[in-house]
Amino acid sequence: MEPLQHGSVIPLYHQLKERLKEAIETGRWTLGDKIPSENQLMDQFGVSRNTSKKAIEELVQEGILYRVQGKGTFVAKPKLQQSLMGFYSFSKVLKEKGLNPKDVILKIEEVSPTEKIREALELGEDEMVIEMKRLRCANNEPYILESSFIPKSVVQDPKQLNQVGEISLYDLFSQQFNIVVTRAKEAFEPVLIRAEESEYLETEAGQPALLLERTAFDVSGMPVEFCISIVRGDRCRFYTELT
Amino acid sequence: MEPLQHGSVIPLYHQLKERLKEAIETGRWTLGDKIPSENQLMDQFGVSRNTSKKAIEELVQEGILYRVQGKGTFVAKPKLQQSLMGFYSFSKVLKEKGLNPKDVILKIEEVSPTEKIREALELGEDEMVIEMKRLRCANNEPYILESSFIPKSVVQDPKQLNQVGEISLYDLFSQQFNIVVTRAKEAFEPVLIRAEESEYLETEAGQPALLLERTAFDVSGMPVEFCISIVRGDRCRFYTELT
DNA sequence: CAGTGGTCTAGACCACGCA
DNA sequence: GCGTGGTCTAGACCACTGG
């Protein structure tokens, strides 16, 4: 491990913070691992305890680490999973509780992206994408019709996506492709269900729904997924808390 | 100003933080005011600079204060205004930019609350509410039809609400009734526009819309407003960023 | 008991904004 | 030049956890 640059314009705690973050993002430490104590970091990097503390505290603030007094400092769950839960938790989303979630994969195939998708994923000319279309159900009733578009450069072989259903798409990204999704942009608006969607969602055309578009980015800021969801309005309600 | 309790179970920085927060919430300092410097707080409360700094830093983290190097520490905008801006900024909400926002008050009157409203506002039997129904426009085109329900105990005289339009409801709350809204819960779902709403919104029944319900709370956690909005789906798009 | 994080002090030097 | 916040050090005592 190279020493930190003392006397640099970049604060020591910030340099240390980046080192720790890098070690987590590259998989050096993962979910639940114990990282070195304040005293150990202090010795390893030649800084004071308050400086190593400040680096850790900011990472705790960002939700990357968590601390337990008397035990140590540990790696928290990836950030996006937390945020998604915070914003619209799928369990809370459903009016009925006691749900039995299940995803049906309708198709996985290589397609030519529309202009909108090409833009969202920052693709070049002629770059192809893999489309995975899923019907997401709870208690065997459909509630979301979802299409994920993933650049071919990310997932060379569509077959690799077949595991989705057993594990989540983002877990698959992290485990199979070494891609950690850390950020996402979302846009949504109310729409009417169209005829071709109504069949899958087992409802009628013209019923209220939410159109949700999400672009997910990996740690380097590269877009890795563009997702379009149609959410049945009668089955879903979204909650947020503004504090 | 009473001194802090040294040696208490409650950390000094936390006590100081509460003192500062209280001074802001009671109006001792308001938006844009400069608060005492770290050195001044250090002397006034008999703590070290790091302790006064930590109290301030946490309030900065919570968005209550902001700091400018070389100038000082200042009171930020009330939190809710920020959150609302962060979550669905009305300016970003509109597809068209260069908007000219205007609110038309349709009615202000004392009404008997429905069961839903009574529950949201935690009202007792026979307690009345003031309903303020507004049509919110941009570029003279309607986009939101909104009804606010406010407990009569909060605003004794409906006439006091007439200023809304010149200033925002939450600014009125803070200036006239000394109520600072600090928290809000929101729920939304897609719906179809109904006949009676379509007239105001100048569209057709059956068009997509967003139904948005918000309960706003003051500092003590008392509900002070329940608001039902119908948002035209064709004119609005909501954005969020998950990080 | 040793190790951890939680709090706190009393110093220090720096970059910045302003008069 | 002075006051501000930004960074940093080297100590200290405490409460909690685990062996």
Side-chain angles (χ1 to χ4, degrees):
Chain A
M1 209 75 180
E2 293 163 22
L4 303 180
Q5 297 174 15
H6 286 255
S8 154
V9 280
I10 302 162
L12 286 172
Y13 77 88
H14 193 268
Q15 294 182 43
L16 178 51
K17 191 179 148 188
E18 291 305 314
R19 297 286 185 96
L20 297 175
K21 215 191 315 191
E22 193 191 339
I24 292 164
E25 284 167 356
T26 59
R28 167 80 181 75
W29 300 310
T30 57
L31 204 160
D33 283 4
K34 186 167 182 292
I35 75 162
S37 71
E38 291 179 358
N39 284 325
Q40 288 171 336
L41 291 174
M42 184 178 147
D43 294 340
Q44 273 181 48
F45 292 95
V47 296
S48 76
R49 192 179 153 206
N50 276 344
T51 301
S52 67
K53 177 187 283 293
K54 174 141 188 170
I56 292 174
E57 274 178 347
E58 292 212 347
L59 291 172
V60 170
Q61 189 58 47
E62 293 172 21
I64 294 173
L65 300 176
Y66 66 92
R67 324 193 75 178
V68 183
Q69 193 177 97
K71 295 186 72 174
T73 303
F74 306 87
V75 178
K77 288 187 178 185
K79 285 159 68 181
L80 191 72
Q81 287 184 31
Q82 290 184 354
S83 296
L84 284 171
M85 295 310 271
F87 176 51
Y88 62 97
S89 145
F90 279 121
S91 27
K92 274 172 85 182
V93 152
L94 294 173
K95 280 180 181 167
E96 303 85 15
K97 310 288 178 180
L99 72 167
N100 171 29
K102 194 183 159 201
D103 287 358
V104 180
I105 297 184
L106 301 174
K107 70 168 178 185
I108 299 180
E109 59 182 34
E110 190 174 326
V111 298
S112 185
T114 65
E115 190 51 44
K116 182 181 210 168
I117 295 169
R118 192 201 312 281
E119 216 168 274
L121 292 175
E122 298 169 13
L123 298 175
E125 293 282 325
D126 305 323
E127 272 197 81
M128 297 295 277
V129 296
I130 309 299
E131 174 178 5
M132 177 171 58
K133 191 169 182 173
R134 285 182 290 175
L135 186 63
R136 317 197 71 165
C137 305
N139 292 331
N140 283 318
E141 296 190 326
Y143 60 111
I144 301 178
L145 182 62
E146 190 170 285
S147 273
S148 289
F149 299 90
I150 304 158
K152 191 138 184 285
S153 55
V154 168
V155 42
Q156 283 81 9
D157 188 356
K159 291 197 191 82
Q160 296 177 279
L161 291 174
N162 279 325
Q163 294 175 56
V164 172
E166 295 145 50
I167 63 171
S168 84
L169 181 60
Y170 293 153
D171 284 344
L172 188 74
F173 270 15
S174 130
Q175 289 170 27
Q176 298 291 316
F177 311 133
N178 200 32
I179 288 175
V180 181
V181 175
T182 54
R183 201 167 60 84
K185 283 197 301 190
E186 235 171 28
F188 57 91
E189 59 186 311
V191 294
L192 304 181
I193 289 184
R194 292 178 298 180
E196 64 264 37
E197 297 154 357
S198 67
E199 290 177 35
Y200 291 114
L201 291 170
E202 293 173 13
T203 181
E204 290 164 24
Q207 287 299 106
L210 209 64
L211 171 66
L212 209 144
E213 293 175 354
R214 181 177 62 242
T215 313
F217 301 86
D218 80 351
V219 285
S220 69
M222 181 180 73
V224 294
E225 185 211 13
F226 181 68
C227 177
I228 301 181
S229 304
I230 301 288
V231 185
R232 267 186 68 158
D234 55 347
R235 295 224 170 118
C236 294
R237 191 175 169 85
F238 294 78
Y239 296 91
T240 52
E241 181 129 9
L242 313 173
T243 52
Chain B
M1 209 75 182
E2 292 164 20
L4 303 179
Q5 296 174 15
H6 286 255
S8 154
V9 280
I10 302 163
L12 287 173
Y13 77 88
H14 193 269
Q15 295 182 43
L16 178 51
K17 191 179 148 187
E18 290 305 314
R19 297 288 184 96
L20 296 174
K21 215 191 318 193
E22 193 191 338
I24 292 164
E25 282 166 357
T26 58
R28 166 82 182 73
W29 300 310
T30 58
L31 204 160
D33 283 5
K34 187 168 182 291
I35 76 161
S37 72
E38 293 179 357
N39 284 323
Q40 288 170 336
L41 291 174
M42 183 178 147
D43 295 339
Q44 275 182 47
F45 292 96
V47 295
S48 76
R49 193 180 152 205
N50 276 344
T51 301
S52 67
K53 176 187 283 292
K54 174 141 187 170
I56 292 175
E57 273 176 348
E58 293 213 346
L59 291 172
V60 169
Q61 189 59 46
E62 293 172 21
I64 294 172
L65 299 176
Y66 65 93
R67 324 192 76 178
V68 183
Q69 193 177 93
K71 295 188 71 174
T73 303
F74 306 87
V75 178
K77 290 187 177 185
K79 283 161 70 181
L80 190 72
Q81 285 185 31
Q82 288 187 354
S83 295
L84 285 172
M85 296 308 272
F87 176 52
Y88 61 96
S89 145
F90 279 121
S91 29
K92 275 172 84 182
V93 153
L94 294 173
K95 281 181 180 167
E96 303 85 17
K97 310 289 176 181
L99 72 165
N100 169 30
K102 195 183 156 200
D103 288 359
V104 180
I105 298 184
L106 301 174
K107 70 168 177 186
I108 300 180
E109 59 181 36
E110 191 174 325
V111 298
S112 185
T114 65
E115 191 50 44
K116 182 181 212 169
I117 295 170
R118 193 200 315 280
E119 216 169 275
L121 291 174
E122 297 169 13
L123 298 175
E125 293 281 326
D126 305 324
E127 272 196 82
M128 298 294 278
V129 296
I130 309 298
E131 174 178 6
M132 176 171 61
K133 191 170 184 175
R134 284 183 290 175
L135 186 63
R136 317 198 71 166
C137 305
N139 292 332
N140 283 317
E141 296 189 327
Y143 62 109
I144 302 178
L145 182 62
E146 191 169 284
S147 273
S148 290
F149 299 89
I150 304 157
K152 191 139 184 284
S153 55
V154 168
V155 44
Q156 283 81 9
D157 187 356
K159 291 198 190 81
Q160 297 177 279
L161 290 173
N162 280 326
Q163 293 175 57
V164 172
E166 294 145 49
I167 63 171
S168 84
L169 182 59
Y170 293 152
D171 285 343
L172 188 73
F173 270 16
S174 128
Q175 289 169 27
Q176 299 289 317
F177 311 133
N178 202 31
I179 288 173
V180 181
V181 175
T182 55
R183 201 167 61 82
K185 283 198 302 190
E186 234 170 28
F188 57 92
E189 58 187 309
V191 294
L192 304 181
I193 290 184
R194 292 179 297 180
E196 64 265 36
E197 297 153 355
S198 67
E199 289 177 36
Y200 291 113
L201 291 169
E202 295 174 13
T203 181
E204 289 164 24
Q207 288 298 105
L210 210 64
L211 172 66
L212 210 143
E213 293 176 354
R214 181 177 62 242
T215 313
F217 302 86
D218 80 352
V219 284
S220 71
M222 181 181 73
V224 293
E225 184 212 14
F226 181 68
C227 177
I228 301 180
S229 304
I230 302 288
V231 185
R232 267 184 69 157
D234 54 347
R235 295 227 168 116
C236 294
R237 192 175 167 86
F238 295 78
Y239 296 90
T240 53
E241 181 129 10
L242 314 173
T243 51

